[in-house]
Amino acid sequence: MSSSVTKRIEFYKNKRELISSGKFKPMPFVGFPSLTKYVAGIIPGIMYKVTSHSGMGKTQFSKFAFVYQPILYAIKYNIKYHVIYFALEESKEEFIDSVFLHVLERKYKVCIDRFSMIGLRSTSLTENELKAIENAKKDVELIMSYITIVDYCYKPTQIYNKCREIALKKGVFTKLANGNEIYDAYDKNELVLVACDHISLIEEEYDPETKNYMSHSKSIAKWHTEYARKIITKKWNWACLNIQQQSLESEKQQFTSKG
């Protein structure tokens, strides 16, 4: 036990030295000072969940707090940050469109909606809007260089296997004599975030042991608990964000004999 305690003390000292020397900079929730008081920011080995019912802006908030702001912060302070975004609800093209819209409004003060941008309105883009889109190209390409979009995995094991495929490019897995597996990242200072948007769209997975498909809730639990918590965050030291849509039924008031 004493050796484990000693290792933690060495860990504290190492982090202190890294921060003092400027070699490591934490990733706060930029733009959310009140939130940062309670949650330090995007932390390796931590799971996050953003949840609400449909239409409340879960995806928009998650992209702003976990993707756009952190990436701009990483660019500014030269932090190695990689987002693996499992887009279960939108396509890769839709995601890129959302990045364009964010950059256009933030940097170029041009506010347009996605339907206008992709030609689904009766009026076309103006010359100024099109010019702003062309000017935003480099900004969008830079932001996208920090992101891997996966829009074709829907089953828990498919999502996990894609994460493992990327992990193999960032480190090495070693099998221990007791059968356990450890993961050693090549770059200990790189912060990797796995985002799943949203986990309610995870598909039922086939269980070879029972020779039946798991229920929807068990399939979600397999990703959330077996893969995201027990392996990706706990063993790989990656951060994980799960976006979940609540059922409106669960939000109804419950009345008992006491009121």
Side-chain angles (χ1 to χ4, degrees):
M1 179 61 72
S2 60
S3 62
S4 297
V5 173
T6 301
K7 285 181 180 178
R8 290 310 292 171
I9 293 174
E10 290 302 316
F11 174 81
Y12 305 149
K13 290 179 178 178
N14 181 52
K15 283 297 182 182
R16 178 179 180 275
E17 290 173 3
L18 286 172
I19 293 173
S20 299
S21 64
K23 293 180 180 178
F24 175 79
K25 194 170 182 68
M27 184 75 78
F29 284 118
V30 184
F32 299 94
S34 297
L35 177 60
T36 304
K37 287 182 182 178
Y38 301 97
V39 184
I42 303 172
I43 305 168
I46 296 294
M47 282 186 64
Y48 303 86
K49 180 181 285 186
V50 174
T51 179
S52 72
H53 59 74
S54 180
M56 295 299 291
K58 298 181 298 296
T59 296
Q60 288 84 349
F61 168 79
S62 298
K63 285 181 180 179
F64 186 80
F66 290 87
V67 183
Y68 305 146
Q69 289 287 78
I71 288 176
L72 294 174
Y73 187 84
I75 292 169
K76 183 177 179 180
Y77 292 104
N78 195 29
I79 298 173
K80 292 185 178 179
Y81 183 56
H82 183 196
V83 178
I84 305 166
Y85 202 99
F86 289 91
L88 276 63
E89 191 169 28
E90 61 185 345
S91 65
K92 182 177 181 179
E93 290 73 23
E94 287 175 305
F95 189 98
I96 294 172
D97 290 346
S98 71
V99 179
F100 262 110
L101 292 173
H102 179 78
V103 172
L104 287 170
E105 184 172 356
R106 181 173 190 149
K107 186 173 181 178
Y108 298 94
K109 312 304 178 187
V110 174
C111 298
I112 56 176
D113 63 76
R114 181 173 178 268
F115 296 118
S116 296
M117 192 164 64
I118 63 175
L120 293 179
R121 298 287 189 195
S122 58
T123 56
S124 61
L125 292 170
T126 66
E127 286 295 327
N128 287 336
E129 289 171 341
L130 187 57
K131 185 177 180 180
I133 290 172
E134 291 174 343
N135 290 336
K137 178 185 175 183
K138 287 185 178 180
D139 299 288
V140 173
E141 287 179 337
L142 181 57
I143 290 173
M144 289 303 299
S145 69
Y146 284 76
I147 311 170
T148 297
I149 304 294
V150 184
D151 62 356
Y152 51 84
C153 293
Y154 288 89
K155 298 184 186 298
T157 302
Q158 287 179 335
I159 298 171
Y160 168 73
N161 286 341
K162 185 62 182 179
C163 290
R164 189 178 177 89
E165 177 188 319
I166 295 171
L168 281 168
K169 298 176 182 178
K170 296 178 177 292
V172 60
F173 290 96
T174 304
K175 202 81 169 180
L176 302 178
N178 60 8
N180 291 333
E181 187 179 63
I182 60 172
Y183 178 67
D184 188 29
Y186 296 137
D187 188 342
K188 301 294 191 297
N189 291 326
E190 182 182 30
L191 174 56
V192 181
L193 172 77
V194 177
C196 190
D197 183 16
H198 53 82
I199 63 173
S200 304
L201 292 174
I202 283 177
E203 294 180 350
E204 296 178 358
E205 184 158 274
Y206 182 75
D207 186 354
E209 292 185 6
T210 63
K211 296 183 179 180
N212 287 305
Y213 280 92
M214 297 179 179
S215 66
H216 188 224
S217 60
K218 285 185 177 180
S219 297
I220 291 174
K222 184 167 186 177
W223 160 249
H224 183 278
T225 305
E226 295 300 320
Y227 290 139
R229 183 59 196 141
K230 292 184 178 179
I231 299 176
I232 293 173
T233 56
K234 200 170 183 180
K235 293 185 178 181
W236 300 0
N237 203 36
W238 289 4
C240 187
L241 166 66
N242 286 313
I243 302 166
Q244 185 170 20
Q245 182 168 304
Q246 293 176 356
S247 169
L248 288 175
E249 288 294 319
S250 67
E251 296 182 351
K252 289 182 178 179
Q253 287 183 311
Q254 300 296 312
F255 294 93
T256 67
S257 59
K258 294 182 180 179

